[in-house]
PDB file of all heavy atoms in Angstrom:
ATOM      1  N   ALA D   1    -102.985 -36.318  50.482  1.00 92.00           N
ATOM      2  CA  ALA D   1    -102.377 -35.068  50.008  1.00 92.00           C
ATOM      3  C   ALA D   1    -103.239 -33.866  50.395  1.00 92.00           C
ATOM      4  O   ALA D   1    -102.706 -32.821  50.788  1.00 92.00           O
ATOM      5  CB  ALA D   1    -102.174 -35.128  48.499  1.00 92.00           C
ATOM      6  N   LEU D   2    -104.558 -34.010  50.300  1.00 92.00           N
ATOM      7  CA  LEU D   2    -105.437 -32.909  50.704  1.00 92.00           C
ATOM      8  C   LEU D   2    -105.347 -32.644  52.209  1.00 92.00           C
ATOM      9  O   LEU D   2    -105.320 -31.487  52.642  1.00 92.00           O
ATOM     10  CB  LEU D   2    -106.876 -33.218  50.309  1.00 92.00           C
ATOM     11  CG  LEU D   2    -107.160 -33.207  48.804  1.00 92.00           C
ATOM     12  CD1 LEU D   2    -108.568 -33.719  48.525  1.00 92.00           C
ATOM     13  CD2 LEU D   2    -106.959 -31.826  48.233  1.00 92.00           C
ATOM     14  N   ALA D   3    -105.280 -33.701  53.019  1.00 89.00           N
ATOM     15  CA  ALA D   3    -105.160 -33.536  54.468  1.00 89.00           C
ATOM     16  C   ALA D   3    -103.827 -32.879  54.825  1.00 89.00           C
ATOM     17  O   ALA D   3    -103.763 -32.012  55.706  1.00 89.00           O
ATOM     18  CB  ALA D   3    -105.299 -34.881  55.176  1.00 89.00           C
ATOM     19  N   LEU D   4    -102.765 -33.278  54.153  1.00 87.00           N
ATOM     20  CA  LEU D   4    -101.462 -32.661  54.418  1.00 87.00           C
ATOM     21  C   LEU D   4    -101.424 -31.215  53.942  1.00 87.00           C
ATOM     22  O   LEU D   4    -100.718 -30.382  54.516  1.00 87.00           O
ATOM     23  CB  LEU D   4    -100.344 -33.476  53.777  1.00 87.00           C
ATOM     24  CG  LEU D   4    -100.044 -34.799  54.484  1.00 87.00           C
ATOM     25  CD1 LEU D   4     -98.995 -35.599  53.704  1.00 87.00           C
ATOM     26  CD2 LEU D   4     -99.599 -34.577  55.905  1.00 87.00           C
ATOM     27  N   GLY D   5    -102.187 -30.893  52.904  1.00 90.00           N
ATOM     28  CA  GLY D   5    -102.301 -29.491  52.480  1.00 90.00           C
ATOM     29  C   GLY D   5    -102.979 -28.649  53.552  1.00 90.00           C
ATOM     30  O   GLY D   5    -102.569 -27.518  53.824  1.00 90.00           O
ATOM     31  N   TRP D   6    -104.011 -29.206  54.185  1.00 89.00           N
ATOM     32  CA  TRP D   6    -104.684 -28.512  55.277  1.00 89.00           C
ATOM     33  C   TRP D   6    -103.728 -28.355  56.467  1.00 89.00           C
ATOM     34  O   TRP D   6    -103.667 -27.293  57.089  1.00 89.00           O
ATOM     35  CB  TRP D   6    -105.947 -29.261  55.677  1.00 89.00           C
ATOM     36  CG  TRP D   6    -106.704 -28.599  56.776  1.00 89.00           C
ATOM     37  CD1 TRP D   6    -106.888 -29.076  58.041  1.00 89.00           C
ATOM     38  CD2 TRP D   6    -107.360 -27.332  56.746  1.00 89.00           C
ATOM     39  NE1 TRP D   6    -107.617 -28.181  58.775  1.00 89.00           N
ATOM     40  CE2 TRP D   6    -107.923 -27.103  58.005  1.00 89.00           C
ATOM     41  CE3 TRP D   6    -107.515 -26.371  55.760  1.00 89.00           C
ATOM     42  CZ2 TRP D   6    -108.631 -25.945  58.307  1.00 89.00           C
ATOM     43  CZ3 TRP D   6    -108.217 -25.219  56.062  1.00 89.00           C
ATOM     44  CH2 TRP D   6    -108.773 -25.023  57.330  1.00 89.00           C
ATOM     45  N   LEU D   7    -102.986 -29.411  56.785  1.00 84.00           N
ATOM     46  CA  LEU D   7    -102.010 -29.340  57.875  1.00 84.00           C
ATOM     47  C   LEU D   7    -100.949 -28.291  57.572  1.00 84.00           C
ATOM     48  O   LEU D   7    -100.530 -27.546  58.462  1.00 84.00           O
ATOM     49  CB  LEU D   7    -101.363 -30.701  58.109  1.00 84.00           C
ATOM     50  CG  LEU D   7    -100.276 -30.749  59.179  1.00 84.00           C
ATOM     51  CD1 LEU D   7    -100.858 -30.439  60.554  1.00 84.00           C
ATOM     52  CD2 LEU D   7     -99.587 -32.095  59.179  1.00 84.00           C
ATOM     53  N   TRP D   8    -100.521 -28.204  56.306  1.00 89.00           N
ATOM     54  CA  TRP D   8     -99.525 -27.206  55.930  1.00 89.00           C
ATOM     55  C   TRP D   8    -100.074 -25.801  56.156  1.00 89.00           C
ATOM     56  O   TRP D   8     -99.362 -24.917  56.627  1.00 89.00           O
ATOM     57  CB  TRP D   8     -99.114 -27.398  54.469  1.00 89.00           C
ATOM     58  CG  TRP D   8     -98.113 -26.382  54.036  1.00 89.00           C
ATOM     59  CD1 TRP D   8     -96.757 -26.435  54.199  1.00 89.00           C
ATOM     60  CD2 TRP D   8     -98.384 -25.135  53.390  1.00 89.00           C
ATOM     61  NE1 TRP D   8     -96.179 -25.296  53.687  1.00 89.00           N
ATOM     62  CE2 TRP D   8     -97.154 -24.487  53.189  1.00 89.00           C
ATOM     63  CE3 TRP D   8     -99.548 -24.510  52.965  1.00 89.00           C
ATOM     64  CZ2 TRP D   8     -97.060 -23.244  52.574  1.00 89.00           C
ATOM     65  CZ3 TRP D   8     -99.451 -23.260  52.363  1.00 89.00           C
ATOM     66  CH2 TRP D   8     -98.211 -22.646  52.166  1.00 89.00           C
ATOM     67  N   THR D   9    -101.345 -25.586  55.803  1.00 89.00           N
ATOM     68  CA  THR D   9    -101.958 -24.270  55.993  1.00 89.00           C
ATOM     69  C   THR D   9    -101.985 -23.889  57.468  1.00 89.00           C
ATOM     70  O   THR D   9    -101.604 -22.776  57.849  1.00 89.00           O
ATOM     71  CB  THR D   9    -103.389 -24.255  55.419  1.00 89.00           C
ATOM     72  OG1 THR D   9    -103.330 -24.613  54.040  1.00 89.00           O
ATOM     73  CG2 THR D   9    -104.035 -22.896  55.579  1.00 89.00           C
ATOM     74  N   ILE D  10    -102.424 -24.813  58.314  1.00 85.00           N
ATOM     75  CA  ILE D  10    -102.485 -24.548  59.747  1.00 85.00           C
ATOM     76  C   ILE D  10    -101.086 -24.329  60.320  1.00 85.00           C
ATOM     77  O   ILE D  10    -100.868 -23.433  61.130  1.00 85.00           O
ATOM     78  CB  ILE D  10    -103.212 -25.695  60.474  1.00 85.00           C
ATOM     79  CG1 ILE D  10    -104.673 -25.715  60.053  1.00 85.00           C
ATOM     80  CG2 ILE D  10    -103.085 -25.564  61.980  1.00 85.00           C
ATOM     81  CD1 ILE D  10    -105.423 -26.937  60.516  1.00 85.00           C
ATOM     82  N   THR D  11    -100.131 -25.141  59.865  1.00 85.00           N
ATOM     83  CA  THR D  11     -98.757 -24.987  60.334  1.00 85.00           C
ATOM     84  C   THR D  11     -98.191 -23.635  59.919  1.00 85.00           C
ATOM     85  O   THR D  11     -97.523 -22.963  60.716  1.00 85.00           O
ATOM     86  CB  THR D  11     -97.875 -26.114  59.785  1.00 85.00           C
ATOM     87  OG1 THR D  11     -98.417 -27.365  60.190  1.00 85.00           O
ATOM     88  CG2 THR D  11     -96.451 -26.008  60.287  1.00 85.00           C
ATOM     89  N   SER D  12     -98.466 -23.214  58.698  1.00 89.00           N
ATOM     90  CA  SER D  12     -97.957 -21.923  58.223  1.00 89.00           C
ATOM     91  C   SER D  12     -98.511 -20.769  59.049  1.00 89.00           C
ATOM     92  O   SER D  12     -97.768 -19.863  59.445  1.00 89.00           O
ATOM     93  CB  SER D  12     -98.323 -21.724  56.744  1.00 89.00           C
ATOM     94  OG  SER D  12     -97.706 -22.704  55.960  1.00 89.00           O
ATOM     95  N   VAL D  13     -99.806 -20.807  59.322  1.00 86.00           N
ATOM     96  CA  VAL D  13    -100.422 -19.736  60.121  1.00 86.00           C
ATOM     97  C   VAL D  13     -99.869 -19.737  61.540  1.00 86.00           C
ATOM     98  O   VAL D  13     -99.551 -18.690  62.111  1.00 86.00           O
ATOM     99  CB  VAL D  13    -101.963 -19.888  60.113  1.00 86.00           C
ATOM    100  CG1 VAL D  13    -102.617 -18.966  61.115  1.00 86.00           C
ATOM    101  CG2 VAL D  13    -102.508 -19.643  58.716  1.00 86.00           C
ATOM    102  N   THR D  14     -99.733 -20.928  62.131  1.00 82.00           N
ATOM    103  CA  THR D  14     -99.234 -21.029  63.507  1.00 82.00           C
ATOM    104  C   THR D  14     -97.785 -20.579  63.604  1.00 82.00           C
ATOM    105  O   THR D  14     -97.419 -19.824  64.512  1.00 82.00           O
ATOM    106  CB  THR D  14     -99.379 -22.467  64.032  1.00 82.00           C
ATOM    107  OG1 THR D  14    -100.746 -22.848  63.937  1.00 82.00           O
ATOM    108  CG2 THR D  14     -98.909 -22.584  65.467  1.00 82.00           C
ATOM    109  N   VAL D  15     -96.944 -21.025  62.676  1.00 85.00           N
ATOM    110  CA  VAL D  15     -95.525 -20.640  62.709  1.00 85.00           C
ATOM    111  C   VAL D  15     -95.383 -19.145  62.456  1.00 85.00           C
ATOM    112  O   VAL D  15     -94.557 -18.481  63.084  1.00 85.00           O
ATOM    113  CB  VAL D  15     -94.711 -21.478  61.700  1.00 85.00           C
ATOM    114  CG1 VAL D  15     -93.326 -20.909  61.479  1.00 85.00           C
ATOM    115  CG2 VAL D  15     -94.616 -22.913  62.188  1.00 85.00           C
ATOM    116  N   ALA D  16     -96.208 -18.588  61.572  1.00 87.00           N
ATOM    117  CA  ALA D  16     -96.165 -17.134  61.361  1.00 87.00           C
ATOM    118  C   ALA D  16     -96.535 -16.406  62.646  1.00 87.00           C
ATOM    119  O   ALA D  16     -95.918 -15.387  62.990  1.00 87.00           O
ATOM    120  CB  ALA D  16     -97.113 -16.735  60.230  1.00 87.00           C
ATOM    121  N   GLY D  17     -97.502 -16.926  63.392  1.00 84.00           N
ATOM    122  CA  GLY D  17     -97.863 -16.326  64.670  1.00 84.00           C
ATOM    123  C   GLY D  17     -96.749 -16.439  65.690  1.00 84.00           C
ATOM    124  O   GLY D  17     -96.502 -15.511  66.464  1.00 84.00           O
ATOM    125  N   VAL D  18     -96.059 -17.578  65.694  1.00 80.00           N
ATOM    126  CA  VAL D  18     -94.940 -17.760  66.625  1.00 80.00           C
ATOM    127  C   VAL D  18     -93.813 -16.785  66.285  1.00 80.00           C
ATOM    128  O   VAL D  18     -93.229 -16.160  67.169  1.00 80.00           O
ATOM    129  CB  VAL D  18     -94.440 -19.224  66.595  1.00 80.00           C
ATOM    130  CG1 VAL D  18     -93.099 -19.368  67.285  1.00 80.00           C
ATOM    131  CG2 VAL D  18     -95.461 -20.150  67.222  1.00 80.00           C
ATOM    132  N   LEU D  19     -93.513 -16.654  65.011  1.00 83.00           N
ATOM    133  CA  LEU D  19     -92.400 -15.788  64.611  1.00 83.00           C
ATOM    134  C   LEU D  19     -92.693 -14.311  64.838  1.00 83.00           C
ATOM    135  O   LEU D  19     -91.779 -13.530  65.111  1.00 83.00           O
ATOM    136  CB  LEU D  19     -92.056 -16.037  63.140  1.00 83.00           C
ATOM    137  CG  LEU D  19     -91.463 -17.410  62.829  1.00 83.00           C
ATOM    138  CD1 LEU D  19     -91.230 -17.567  61.338  1.00 83.00           C
ATOM    139  CD2 LEU D  19     -90.175 -17.645  63.602  1.00 83.00           C
ATOM    140  N   THR D  20     -93.954 -13.921  64.722  1.00 85.00           N
ATOM    141  CA  THR D  20     -94.294 -12.520  64.953  1.00 85.00           C
ATOM    142  C   THR D  20     -94.646 -12.240  66.406  1.00 85.00           C
ATOM    143  O   THR D  20     -94.838 -11.088  66.780  1.00 85.00           O
ATOM    144  CB  THR D  20     -95.480 -12.096  64.063  1.00 85.00           C
ATOM    145  OG1 THR D  20     -96.602 -12.923  64.355  1.00 85.00           O
ATOM    146  CG2 THR D  20     -95.126 -12.188  62.599  1.00 85.00           C
ATOM    147  N   GLY D  21     -94.751 -13.288  67.213  1.00 77.00           N
ATOM    148  CA  GLY D  21     -95.066 -13.110  68.628  1.00 77.00           C
ATOM    149  C   GLY D  21     -96.544 -12.937  68.897  1.00 77.00           C
ATOM    150  O   GLY D  21     -96.937 -12.484  69.964  1.00 77.00           O
ATOM    151  N   ARG D  22     -97.393 -13.285  67.960  1.00 74.00           N
ATOM    152  CA  ARG D  22     -98.831 -13.124  68.124  1.00 74.00           C
ATOM    153  C   ARG D  22     -99.524 -14.480  68.236  1.00 74.00           C
ATOM    154  O   ARG D  22    -100.444 -14.772  67.494  1.00 74.00           O
ATOM    155  CB  ARG D  22     -99.411 -12.354  66.952  1.00 74.00           C
ATOM    156  CG  ARG D  22     -98.966 -10.911  66.936  1.00 74.00           C
ATOM    157  CD  ARG D  22     -99.619 -10.164  65.825  1.00 74.00           C
ATOM    158  NE  ARG D  22     -98.996 -10.618  64.576  1.00 74.00           N
ATOM    159  CZ  ARG D  22     -99.584 -10.589  63.395  1.00 74.00           C
ATOM    160  NH1 ARG D  22    -100.787 -10.148  63.272  1.00 74.00           N
ATOM    161  NH2 ARG D  22     -98.954 -11.003  62.324  1.00 74.00           N
ATOM    162  N   VAL D  23     -99.092 -15.305  69.152  1.00 66.00           N
ATOM    163  CA  VAL D  23     -99.719 -16.606  69.356  1.00 66.00           C
ATOM    164  C   VAL D  23    -100.842 -16.418  70.354  1.00 66.00           C
ATOM    165  O   VAL D  23    -100.628 -16.013  71.494  1.00 66.00           O
ATOM    166  CB  VAL D  23     -98.705 -17.652  69.880  1.00 66.00           C
ATOM    167  CG1 VAL D  23     -99.378 -18.967  70.119  1.00 66.00           C
ATOM    168  CG2 VAL D  23     -97.577 -17.792  68.898  1.00 66.00           C
ATOM    169  N   GLY D  24    -102.054 -16.709  69.925  1.00 61.00           N
ATOM    170  CA  GLY D  24    -103.220 -16.548  70.784  1.00 61.00           C
ATOM    171  C   GLY D  24    -103.339 -17.676  71.794  1.00 61.00           C
ATOM    172  O   GLY D  24    -102.659 -18.694  71.709  1.00 61.00           O
ATOM    173  N   THR D  25    -104.223 -17.480  72.759  1.00 57.00           N
ATOM    174  CA  THR D  25    -104.432 -18.513  73.772  1.00 57.00           C
ATOM    175  C   THR D  25    -105.476 -19.523  73.344  1.00 57.00           C
ATOM    176  O   THR D  25    -105.541 -20.606  73.882  1.00 57.00           O
ATOM    177  CB  THR D  25    -104.862 -17.870  75.100  1.00 57.00           C
ATOM    178  OG1 THR D  25    -106.049 -17.108  74.874  1.00 57.00           O
ATOM    179  CG2 THR D  25    -103.762 -16.978  75.641  1.00 57.00           C
ATOM    180  N   ARG D  26    -106.320 -19.158  72.391  1.00 64.00           N
ATOM    181  CA  ARG D  26    -107.340 -20.080  71.915  1.00 64.00           C
ATOM    182  C   ARG D  26    -106.858 -20.747  70.639  1.00 64.00           C
ATOM    183  O   ARG D  26    -106.111 -20.181  69.872  1.00 64.00           O
ATOM    184  CB  ARG D  26    -108.636 -19.325  71.630  1.00 64.00           C
ATOM    185  CG  ARG D  26    -109.275 -18.782  72.869  1.00 64.00           C
ATOM    186  CD  ARG D  26    -110.544 -18.037  72.579  1.00 64.00           C
ATOM    187  NE  ARG D  26    -111.201 -18.510  71.365  1.00 64.00           N
ATOM    188  CZ  ARG D  26    -112.047 -17.802  70.657  1.00 64.00           C
ATOM    189  NH1 ARG D  26    -112.328 -16.589  71.019  1.00 64.00           N
ATOM    190  NH2 ARG D  26    -112.609 -18.301  69.578  1.00 64.00           N
ATOM    191  N   GLY D  27    -107.325 -21.945  70.413  1.00 62.00           N
ATOM    192  CA  GLY D  27    -106.946 -22.623  69.182  1.00 62.00           C
ATOM    193  C   GLY D  27    -107.404 -24.063  69.213  1.00 62.00           C
ATOM    194  O   GLY D  27    -107.780 -24.600  70.250  1.00 62.00           O
ATOM    195  N   GLY D  28    -107.375 -24.682  68.070  1.00 70.00           N
ATOM    196  CA  GLY D  28    -107.821 -26.050  67.944  1.00 70.00           C
ATOM    197  C   GLY D  28    -106.735 -27.047  68.291  1.00 70.00           C
ATOM    198  O   GLY D  28    -105.602 -26.695  68.634  1.00 70.00           O
ATOM    199  N   ALA D  29    -107.106 -28.298  68.185  1.00 75.00           N
ATOM    200  CA  ALA D  29    -106.178 -29.388  68.514  1.00 75.00           C
ATOM    201  C   ALA D  29    -105.001 -29.423  67.545  1.00 75.00           C
ATOM    202  O   ALA D  29    -103.870 -29.687  67.951  1.00 75.00           O
ATOM    203  CB  ALA D  29    -106.918 -30.717  68.504  1.00 75.00           C
ATOM    204  N   THR D  30    -105.243 -29.138  66.271  1.00 70.00           N
ATOM    205  CA  THR D  30    -104.161 -29.176  65.292  1.00 70.00           C
ATOM    206  C   THR D  30    -103.146 -28.078  65.568  1.00 70.00           C
ATOM    207  O   THR D  30    -101.939 -28.305  65.474  1.00 70.00           O
ATOM    208  CB  THR D  30    -104.724 -29.028  63.875  1.00 70.00           C
ATOM    209  OG1 THR D  30    -105.762 -29.985  63.696  1.00 70.00           O
ATOM    210  CG2 THR D  30    -103.665 -29.243  62.839  1.00 70.00           C
ATOM    211  N   ARG D  31    -103.612 -26.914  65.944  1.00 70.00           N
ATOM    212  CA  ARG D  31    -102.705 -25.811  66.275  1.00 70.00           C
ATOM    213  C   ARG D  31    -101.849 -26.172  67.481  1.00 70.00           C
ATOM    214  O   ARG D  31    -100.646 -25.911  67.507  1.00 70.00           O
ATOM    215  CB  ARG D  31    -103.507 -24.537  66.551  1.00 70.00           C
ATOM    216  CG  ARG D  31    -102.649 -23.337  66.801  1.00 70.00           C
ATOM    217  CD  ARG D  31    -103.527 -22.105  67.024  1.00 70.00           C
ATOM    218  NE  ARG D  31    -102.795 -21.124  67.745  1.00 70.00           N
ATOM    219  CZ  ARG D  31    -102.607 -21.114  69.060  1.00 70.00           C
ATOM    220  NH1 ARG D  31    -103.117 -22.036  69.806  1.00 70.00           N
ATOM    221  NH2 ARG D  31    -101.902 -20.173  69.635  1.00 70.00           N
ATOM    222  N   ARG D  32    -102.468 -26.796  68.480  1.00 73.00           N
ATOM    223  CA  ARG D  32    -101.702 -27.230  69.649  1.00 73.00           C
ATOM    224  C   ARG D  32    -100.670 -28.285  69.254  1.00 73.00           C
ATOM    225  O   ARG D  32     -99.550 -28.294  69.778  1.00 73.00           O
ATOM    226  CB  ARG D  32    -102.646 -27.766  70.716  1.00 73.00           C
ATOM    227  CG  ARG D  32    -103.361 -26.662  71.474  1.00 73.00           C
ATOM    228  CD  ARG D  32    -104.070 -27.197  72.704  1.00 73.00           C
ATOM    229  NE  ARG D  32    -105.173 -28.086  72.381  1.00 73.00           N
ATOM    230  CZ  ARG D  32    -106.425 -27.691  72.161  1.00 73.00           C
ATOM    231  NH1 ARG D  32    -106.717 -26.419  72.225  1.00 73.00           N
ATOM    232  NH2 ARG D  32    -107.363 -28.563  71.884  1.00 73.00           N
TER     233      ARG D  32
END
C-alpha cells in the first residue's frame, strides 16, 4: 500500500504535467 501510494504520487505529478503540456525531458524510470 505504501509503494502504491508513492506510485500514485508520481503518476499524479506526471499526468498533471502531461495535461498542462509541461512534460520535461529528464525523469526517473517510474515517470517513464
Side-chain angles (χ1 to χ4, degrees):
L2 291 172
L4 287 175
W6 181 247
L7 177 65
W8 179 85
T9 303
I10 293 170
T11 302
S12 297
V13 170
T14 303
V15 167
V18 167
L19 292 177
T20 59
R22 292 184 287 154
V23 178
T25 58
R26 293 180 27 203
T30 308
R31 184 178 158 279
R32 283 192 294 272

